[in-house]
Amino acid sequence: MKLVFLGPPGAGKGTLAAKATTLFNAPHISTGNIFREAIAAKSPLGVKVKAVIDAGKLVDDAVTIELVRERLAKDDVKTSYILDGFPRTIAQAEALTTFSRVDTVINFDVPDSVVIERLSGRLVCRKCGFNWHKSFNPPQKDNFCDECGGDVYIREDDKPEAVKKRLEVYREQTAPLIEYYRSKGLLVDIDARPQVDIILENLKKALRRP
Ligand code: AP5
Ligand code: MG
């Protein structure tokens, strides 16, 4: 099953994808995680995109499309994947149709107030990328990830100014994908306000998965 996880920043795409990847036996591909790994490694890609990402803006389409095109050419994603954070513009969605056929697009719906609450408390593991939350899902040991022992940090783009920018960018450039995919009959809406396990159950039902 080839899935796209769509939704505003902080909707829970990464958190849900980390669980759904095992449930659906579908590799999780997060463009945000790929960019953050490149930034941490100070690779040419990382150096190129750091300032744009920290400011809450989008990396340009050509760079992002090429990255995903290369990733989707690998053998492990021939029959299934979860694309988290791609496509994010109509141009990216159009490009995707030239190298892969998506089965379903999940639109994780949450109001801005929930986004702000979630992003202002997010802690991310530097090693495995797991998304913790200071109040909703804190790691047992302060500052360390329960999953892998890595240290946790606050994303530069989770600062209030960058979150504001990301929400604007989402509305202008990404939200039009909702109607784009709905008109193609590919969209499933999921309420992303409840607890993670409830959202996952609703997702399984919507995809008719046991
Ligand atoms: P990316 O990393 O994709 O960021 P995003 O889309 O803004 O989404 P987030 O990762 O912030 O949120 P999420 O929905 O994954 O929520 P999470 O599960 O962490 O992209 C980062 C940047 O990279 C972009 O701004 C852009 O610059 C660039 N980029 C990436 N893709 C690109 C593309 N295609 N084109 C161009 N540029 C691109 O959850 C958030 C918090 O809430 C966590 O703390 C979590 O523990 C908590 N939480 C989650 N679910 C729940 C729940 N149900 N109840 C309570 N708490 C919850
Ligand atoms: Mg994410």
Side-chain angles (χ1 to χ4, degrees):
M1 190 169 32
K2 297 178 175 177
L3 300 175
V4 166
F5 279 12
L6 187 67
K13 304 180 295 295
T15 301
L16 293 158
K19 291 186 181 270
T21 189
T22 321
L23 279 175
F24 304 154
N25 194 21
H28 172 200
I29 302 172
S30 156
T31 40
N33 285 355
I34 296 172
F35 289 136
R36 278 185 291 281
E37 282 162 20
I39 291 170
K42 297 191 170 66
S43 72
L45 173 69
V47 171
K48 186 170 174 176
V49 302
K50 184 176 185 329
V52 174
I53 291 184
D54 286 353
K57 299 178 193 159
L58 291 187
V59 175
D60 75 70
D61 281 338
V63 169
T64 311
I65 289 165
E66 202 40 43
L67 189 88
V68 176
R69 189 201 303 274
E70 280 174 21
R71 180 63 186 88
L72 291 189
K74 301 220 163 117
D75 284 345
D76 64 324
V77 288
K78 287 277 179 265
T79 54
S80 60
Y81 56 68
I82 299 171
L83 269 183
D84 157 13
F86 182 95
R88 249 178 160 98
T89 62
I90 297 284
Q92 292 180 11
E94 292 285 349
L96 180 60
T97 62
T98 67
F99 53 86
S100 191
R101 199 180 61 80
V102 169
D103 297 313
T104 306
V105 176
I106 314 293
N107 174 36
F108 292 106
D109 194 22
V110 276
D112 287 4
S113 55
V114 173
V115 165
I116 290 161
E117 201 175 38
R118 288 186 183 170
L119 295 186
S120 61
R122 175 164 58 186
L123 298 168
V124 181
C125 175
R126 212 179 286 284
K127 202 162 146 198
C128 72
F130 193 91
N131 294 304
W132 297 97
H133 191 282
K134 283 177 192 168
S135 318
F136 305 142
N137 187 20
Q140 303 261 312
K141 270 203 288 172
D142 279 353
N143 305 325
F144 292 100
C145 176
D146 293 350
E147 296 286 317
C148 75
D151 63 321
V152 297
Y153 73 105
I154 295 171
R155 275 171 47 176
E156 197 62 35
D157 62 348
D158 279 348
K159 295 188 173 153
E161 265 314 296
V163 169
K164 194 166 157 252
K165 183 72 197 167
R166 284 159 69 201
L167 280 167
E168 282 168 25
V169 168
Y170 169 76
R171 253 177 232 112
E172 282 163 21
Q173 303 197 53
T174 308
L177 289 174
I178 297 173
E179 289 318 314
Y180 174 90
Y181 282 121
R182 201 187 300 286
S183 70
K184 293 184 185 301
L186 294 177
L187 199 84
V188 169
D189 291 297
I190 296 277
D191 180 358
R193 288 171 301 176
Q195 290 178 358
V196 173
D197 290 346
I198 294 172
I199 304 172
L200 267 180
E201 281 309 312
N202 292 337
L203 179 62
K204 283 197 275 183
K205 274 185 217 148
L207 296 173
R208 297 193 180 83
R209 285 290 179 123

